[in-house]
Structure formats: C-alpha cells, structure tokens
Amino acid sequence: MTPANHEAARRAADLDHRKFAASRLWAVAKMPYLATALFAADLDPAPGTGTVGVDRRWRVRADPETFARLSTDELGRLLVHLVSHLVRDHAARAEVSAPDAADRWNRAADAEVNDDLQPLALVPAAAPDLPGRFGLEPGHVAEEYLREVRGDRLWDCGSGCDGKIRPGEGAERGTGGAAGIDPRQATALRLGLAAEIHRAAGREPGSVPGGWLRWAETVLPSRVDWRRVLAAELRRQLAAVAGAVDYTYRRPSRRAEPAGPVILPSLHRPIPSVAIVCDTSGSMHAQLLGRVLAEVDGILARVGVRDARVLAVDTAVHAVRRVSSSRQVELAGGGGTDMGVGIAAAAALRPRPSIAVVLTDGYSPWPTEAPKGLRVVVGVFTQRRAPSSPMPPPWARAVLIDE
Ligand SMILES: [Zn+2]
C-alpha cells in the first residue's frame, strides 16, 4: 500500500467521535434513565458492514460511511434503539428462541423495542419495525412477535440483537481498541438500570413507557413476588413454544386423500412439557425446597401445564418422577451440586421437555452454552446465597426466590 492509499484507508476507518458524543448526549436528554447504558456503549469502527449495530460486548460497531450519513438526531434515536437491544438482552434471548431465524428475530426485537420508543417519537427511521406492521398488538415481547414476523430485516442491529457473532468481534479489543463490557458487568449494569427505572417511574408516574417498567420488574424480582415473575416467565416461554408450529409428516393430513399417494404435511402444534430440576445438595434446605416445589406446581397448573417431570439432582440425577402433584415427589440426594448434570438429564428425557425449571441456591457450575431446544428458567434461593456465588448463566432466565 502506498502512503497515500494508506492514508485514505485510515481516513475511511475514521469515525467522528465528537458526533457520537453529541448524539449520545441528545439520547441521554431524551431518556435519562438509560444514561448508564448509553455511556457504557463504546464506539468501534466496522468498515464494510454497511450498518451501525451493536455487538455482544456492548460496542457500537459502525461502518464509517453509514455512520457519516446519519444526522446527529437520527444517530441519537438509533443509539437509544440499539442500547435497548443490549439492556433487554436480545442476544441471549435469540439463542434460545430464534437460533436459526436471525433476520426475523431482529425484526421482532425491533418491534418490541420501538413499541416503547414510539410515544416519545424516538423510533429510528433506519429501523422502523413496529408491532402494527405485522398486524400485532403492542405491549408484547419479541418471542411473541416472532410467530407472525416474516421477511428480511430492514436494518442489521448486530450480534447484540441476534446473538450471531460477526467476523472481528470476538476479541476483547475491537478494531479501534474499544473494550466494551463483559457479561458480568452487563448483568450488574442491568440491575442498576432497573433500579433507576423504578425510581424514575416513582418520581414522575407516566414518565417511563410500560415496556420498560415491565422489563425492570423482571430484572428486580426482589421487589415483586417471585411467583408472579415465574408465572409471567412461564407464560412467555409457553407462548413461544406453543407458537412454534411446525409442519410434520407424523400424522397424515386430511388433505392427503385427493392428492393420492403423496403424503402432505399436517399442521402440528407441540404441547409444551415441563421438567423441574431440583437441587437436593447438602446446601439446600429440604423443607424450603418442598414448599417452593408445591408452589411451582400450583403456578404450572394455573398456566395450563398439568403434567411435569421432576428430577432430584446433586452431582448426579437421583430420581425422575412424573407428577401431577408435588406431594408425589421424593427428594433424594445430598453432597455437592452440578445443575449442568440436571439440565443435561432434562434435555435427554423422552418425550423431550421444552422448558426446564431449575430450583437451586446457585452454588453450582453451569454449562457455558444453552442446551439446544430447551428453555431454562432458574429459580435461585437467595436465603443462603453468598453475594460471590455464581449467577445462573446469561442464556437462562433467572428468578430470585426470597423466602
Ligand atoms: Zn434493532
């Protein structure tokens, strides 16, 4: 490369950091309770991508040419939108709900995010999807929208939205040196934000859009009844599972007759089934676990699950029972804890459950990756939990059980 070419390449990778700072201040003024999240997002060049998106380490990855075309206000709207994906952890949710549907997930997640930005006139022109575009009601989450959403995404919001790591993103330092933040820091940041949103809503009722309040409630379960959080989570997961309509050849379609020897696929709605993985290690209080299990049972019945299987797990799986009532469950076990073993055992059950509810005090190693096709909700008993004990992994939905 000649020095002149080199200089041109360097300029092409240049991003106007002052413009970024101005857009960020503009965004903070519009949504003050998202300030910490907006300031956590670092700018990093991503030449040739044709987009301004976010990665899983909270870096704003910007194609310098695309970046240069956006006005300060439009960039500000886009920043609020992209940071909303990060705060709501759309990447981890995509891994569970849309591992093979990145484009549709991006659109569904955009509808969820923009739903709360519309009343504030903050929907970015570049990524304008709203629930109404797909004939859907507002106030729902991406997992529910995903069922009806079709077509390619209008704007690539990045791996921070769809979970798919792009080339050059894996490193701790980005192309321009931006470090971003790690999953542990992101979890702490979300907790702080949820508290800030609660305070803002308390100071000035109506100032925070409903979707943000609902989000804060699920992140701050200690402020609300864990039963409500678990029920809401199960309903959300069940809605996603029940919506996973697939065409199956298992049962012949009634349309098969006129078609002669050709077997047509029939529409098959899987009935969601639930496995409950109970941590029965020495650190767990058996009486407390029994009581919570009875309550989980009640919650399952209310959301329409009649038949759950219960696994008693410490470092091995001791008992698998098909129960219609927790009274039928014997809790065997003791010793150490490895909930990864329990999750793997749940995933291996036949018929295969679609949701696993793990009840534990959290003193457990966790698998680094989500089990394929199994949604995991972790109820963490906080009573005996030391602040240093590892939180459930980001791919699982955690609910704190305060007793
Ligand atoms: Zn988006």
Side-chain angles (χ1 to χ4, degrees):
M1 213 183 264
T2 67
N5 279 346
H6 199 275
E7 178 58 21
R10 195 194 61 77
R11 267 204 315 275
D14 258 0
L15 290 166
D16 184 347
H17 283 261
R18 283 171 65 183
K19 176 175 164 183
F20 181 72
S23 300
R24 185 151 64 178
L25 285 176
W26 184 92
V28 168
K30 300 284 180 189
M31 293 188 98
Y33 43 89
L34 288 188
T36 17
L38 285 160
F39 280 109
D42 261 347
L43 184 63
D44 205 50
T49 56
T51 191
V52 176
V54 277
D55 74 4
R56 299 199 65 165
R57 291 187 61 91
W58 291 55
R59 288 179 290 226
V60 176
R61 301 196 78 240
D63 181 329
E65 283 181 28
T66 312
F67 183 89
R69 278 201 301 273
L70 300 169
S71 70
T72 306
D73 290 12
E74 172 66 357
L75 186 57
R77 281 188 288 271
L78 194 58
L79 282 177
V80 171
H81 172 99
L82 293 170
V83 161
S84 302
H85 284 310
L86 298 173
V87 173
R88 296 179 182 207
D89 209 1
H90 278 148
R93 287 163 56 187
E95 283 183 343
V96 176
S97 296
D100 305 310
D103 270 49
R104 285 172 51 231
W105 174 263
N106 199 150
R107 298 196 76 170
D110 282 3
E112 178 193 313
V113 160
N114 287 342
D115 196 13
D116 285 311
L117 299 181
Q118 193 180 31
L120 307 166
L122 287 175
V123 175
D129 275 333
L130 282 159
R133 267 187 178 233
F134 308 102
L136 299 166
E137 291 291 315
H140 293 272
V141 289
E143 284 81 356
E144 296 167 287
Y145 295 143
L146 185 67
R147 276 181 263 160
E148 305 298 332
V149 167
R150 297 285 173 272
D152 295 342
R153 60 183 129 204
L154 306 176
W155 183 262
D156 184 355
C157 295
S159 64
C161 170
D162 65 21
K164 307 273 184 227
I165 301 285
R166 310 295 201 273
E169 271 183 12
E172 283 201 8
R173 290 277 162 190
T175 321
I181 63 172
D182 65 29
R184 195 171 287 267
Q185 291 168 306
T187 302
L189 202 147
R190 286 189 189 97
L191 283 169
L193 269 178
E196 179 53 40
I197 285 173
H198 259 277
R199 278 196 294 275
R203 274 196 305 269
E204 201 184 326
S207 63
V208 180
W212 277 113
L213 271 180
R214 284 191 296 277
W215 171 80
E217 272 210 348
T218 63
V219 176
L220 285 178
S222 59
R223 285 165 174 262
V224 298
D225 190 340
W226 64 266
R227 296 159 193 86
R228 253 175 66 203
V229 177
L230 181 60
E233 185 60 26
L234 282 168
R235 278 198 196 94
R236 193 165 71 89
Q237 305 281 27
L238 287 166
V241 172
V245 177
D246 62 355
Y247 285 91
T248 173
Y249 289 86
R250 266 175 281 171
R251 292 176 298 166
S253 162
R254 266 181 290 178
R255 287 183 293 138
E257 257 177 85
V262 181
I263 297 173
L264 295 175
S266 64
L267 203 60
H268 170 66
R269 276 184 190 274
I271 299 161
S273 106
V274 174
I276 304 171
V277 178
C278 289
D279 179 354
T280 53
S281 67
S283 61
M284 286 290 286
H285 193 294
Q287 221 179 341
L288 177 62
L289 181 58
R291 198 154 52 75
V292 170
L293 190 55
E295 292 198 64
V296 169
D297 209 27
I299 293 166
L300 286 174
R302 280 199 294 286
V303 301
V305 177
R306 303 256 166 258
D307 190 31
R309 282 161 291 177
V310 179
L311 288 77
V313 179
D314 42 46
T315 51
V317 179
H318 289 283
V320 181
R321 293 269 195 288
R322 185 177 283 273
V323 288
S324 51
S325 157
S326 60
R327 282 189 296 277
Q328 294 167 255
V329 180
E330 282 167 42
L331 295 174
T337 315
D338 188 348
M339 286 301 104
V341 173
I343 292 169
L349 289 175
R350 294 293 177 268
R352 195 192 166 97
S354 38
I355 299 173
V357 178
V358 181
L359 299 173
T360 177
D361 61 4
Y363 290 99
S364 166
W366 295 93
T368 49
E369 284 185 22
K372 272 245 176 287
L374 183 69
R375 293 150 194 277
V376 180
V377 181
V378 183
V380 187
F381 291 83
T382 54
Q383 198 183 37
R384 304 172 55 96
R385 202 173 165 275
S388 60
S389 76
M391 277 300 280
W395 47 261
R397 190 72 183 82
V399 179
L400 300 185
I401 298 178
D402 287 303
E403 289 296 305

